[in-house]
Amino acid sequence: MPSFSLSTLSYGDSGLITLSPLRLPAKQIFKIKIFLKKAIKRSDYTKRLVWFNTFPHLPLSRKAKGVRMGKGTGKLAAWYSQLYGGSVIFEFKNLRPGRALYFFNQIRCKLPTKTVVLTPLTKSLKHNMIKKVNPRMVTFW
């Protein structure tokens, strides 16, 4: 069985990672899906793919305004998805890093939390910035 980490990409080349927990309503996910149709325009020619790693599977119920307490939970108001910090929301495949960065920056403005874009460009920058350390010299206190 492969090891799974929340902050690694499963399907695509680039992805959007949340830094803090968040509740994402189904309406907001749908609006972002409509926006991302631009990203996969002419997907049969370019082989561009988009993965949504969120699904609104949790119900949210609310009571009507002015109703007294008690008598049950109330009617179903919406569906939402609970995301944890470090989880990948969206992934792109076969999309240029600059174009992916553009679309992810547009999505960032629509989300109420801080996010990080993970592209092949940022992966290479991250690997270049890692310093090689002698394991004997590292202290553990």
Side-chain angles (χ1 to χ4, degrees):
M1 192 157 173
S3 63
F4 178 72
S5 174
L6 290 176
S7 62
T8 59
L9 300 176
S10 303
Y11 308 105
D13 302 329
S14 55
L16 188 70
I17 300 173
T18 61
L19 295 180
S20 59
L22 131 103
R23 276 188 178 180
L24 204 57
K27 288 183 180 180
Q28 196 168 11
I29 294 172
F30 181 72
K31 287 179 184 178
I32 292 172
K33 281 184 183 184
I34 295 298
F35 172 75
L36 286 178
K37 281 191 175 184
K38 293 178 186 177
I40 57 171
K41 195 183 327 181
R42 299 174 65 194
S43 62
D44 55 338
Y45 175 71
T46 57
K47 306 286 189 234
R48 292 178 184 161
L49 299 170
V50 177
W51 281 275
F52 293 91
N53 295 337
T54 61
F55 184 78
H57 62 281
L58 298 170
L60 180 68
S61 61
R62 289 194 178 153
K63 297 190 83 120
K65 197 171 190 178
V67 175
R68 293 183 181 185
M69 292 178 62
K71 307 283 192 269
T73 58
K75 293 184 179 180
L76 179 69
W79 292 90
Y80 71 95
S81 174
Q82 180 70 39
L83 300 173
Y84 300 104
S87 60
V88 179
I89 306 175
F90 308 107
E91 293 184 41
F92 281 124
K93 188 169 186 169
N94 297 333
L95 190 64
R96 295 178 302 190
R99 179 68 62 175
L101 190 63
Y102 169 76
F103 282 113
F104 284 138
N105 283 334
Q106 295 291 320
I107 294 170
R108 275 178 162 179
C109 298
K110 297 173 182 8
L111 294 176
T113 184
K114 291 185 178 182
T115 57
V116 174
V117 176
L118 189 62
T119 61
L121 183 66
T122 57
K123 284 182 193 175
S124 65
L125 288 175
K126 186 189 273 186
H127 289 301
N128 290 339
M129 294 171 69
I130 295 174
K131 294 180 180 177
K132 300 199 177 197
V133 179
N134 188 353
R136 293 184 202 154
M137 299 301 288
V138 177
T139 57
F140 293 99
W141 65 83

